[in-house]
Amino acid sequence: MEKRVQRLRRLMGERQVEALFLSHPVSRRYLTGFTGSAGWVVVTESDQVLISDFRYRSQVREQAPDFRFIEHKGKPFHDVKEVLNAAGVGSVAFEETHLTFAEYRKLKTALHPIELEPMAGMVEKLREVKEKEELEVIRDAAQIADKAFAEIVKELRPGVKERDIALRLEVLMREQGAVSSSFDTIVASGPRSAMPHGVASDRVMEKGDLVTLDFGALYQGYCSDITRTVMLGQPSDRQREIYEIVLEAQKRTVAAIKRGITGKEADRVARDYISQHGYGDAFGHSTGHGLGMEVHERPNLSLRGETPLEPGMVVTVEPGIYLPEVGGVRIEDDVVVTDQGHEVLTKSPKELMIID
């Protein structure tokens, strides 16, 4: 964790930040290793402090030995001020996208006259490139999802509710060590498969349905995210057509993932292929996103993705086509950028699976 703090201090220097106050649980865990549910972090040029309550006294000392621990007595922001006063700083940056307005008002009152400076993306920037140990955990999380998919296809059939399949997926992943799902599991069948975020409902699956399964495992603090679309019964010509277009677009984009390509350029590979086949208007979301401690993080594979990919970044590749009258298809893999190009972490088969 000490190396992460050193990298953060370098970034603070580049952005002329005297001190940084962190309130986001993911930022706290990434920087300190502390997995408790309550706490605040303050980093200055010469001090690094984790403030929490008596419940976590032993846990903080075990998980965050590189941080000075302050046990607050009900007024944590007053402890923050003492740390900042000892450092002699006149301003402190805070995570503007994670601090609520109510907390901001309390913090501003407690720290006066120290100035509060809104800042976004400090820790998120560090998290873009994963360390070797992080990649190993994400690889394990992807393997958990793959194993769950291999089992769940045995249970997919007409007459089963989407919600029951979503529950079984979570059970299958937890049985392998996952803490939970990475996000609300999507099981969208028939006309609902044309809903990109069709979270599992009480709909009963029917013969002739395309079924999109989008799920992932949260394992040791890191996420996986996989999507496969399967067919119940024989597909129509239109269903087979859009499946093959999405599959080819996804394969081409995965093949393009390498050091230096921007998110925008990767997105264009999938978007151009789908548009060339007449379905551009049916692909309205981005091609992918960063993956790590959160299921959606930087960098993005989108029309606005300016960040060049670097070795150690993990992204999803998930183009789709959604037609309300036909159904929808999305295929998604987790891909890590390497010095040689890329490695696909999710291994589940992608060719059209027909469950008849």
Side-chain angles (χ1 to χ4, degrees), residues 43-60:
V43 178
T44 66
E45 184 178 354
S46 58
D47 203 2
Q48 52 208 51
V49 179
L50 175 54
I51 300 168
S52 191
D53 61 70
F54 79 98
R55 295 173 298 170
Y56 299 107
R57 184 185 299 162
S58 298
Q59 185 176 347
V60 168

Side-chain angles (χ1 to χ4, degrees), residues 212-215 225-229 318 330-333:
T212 297
L213 305 145
D214 186 348
F215 61 98
D225 185 4
I226 183 174
T227 306
R228 292 294 185 266
T229 302
E318 49 179 307
R330 182 167 66 256
I331 302 169
E332 175 185 23
D333 282 314

Side-chain angles (χ1 to χ4, degrees), residues 321-336:
I321 292 175
Y322 310 93
L323 304 174
E325 71 280 10
V326 176
V329 174
R330 182 167 66 256
I331 302 169
E332 175 185 23
D333 282 314
D334 303 338
V335 183
V336 58

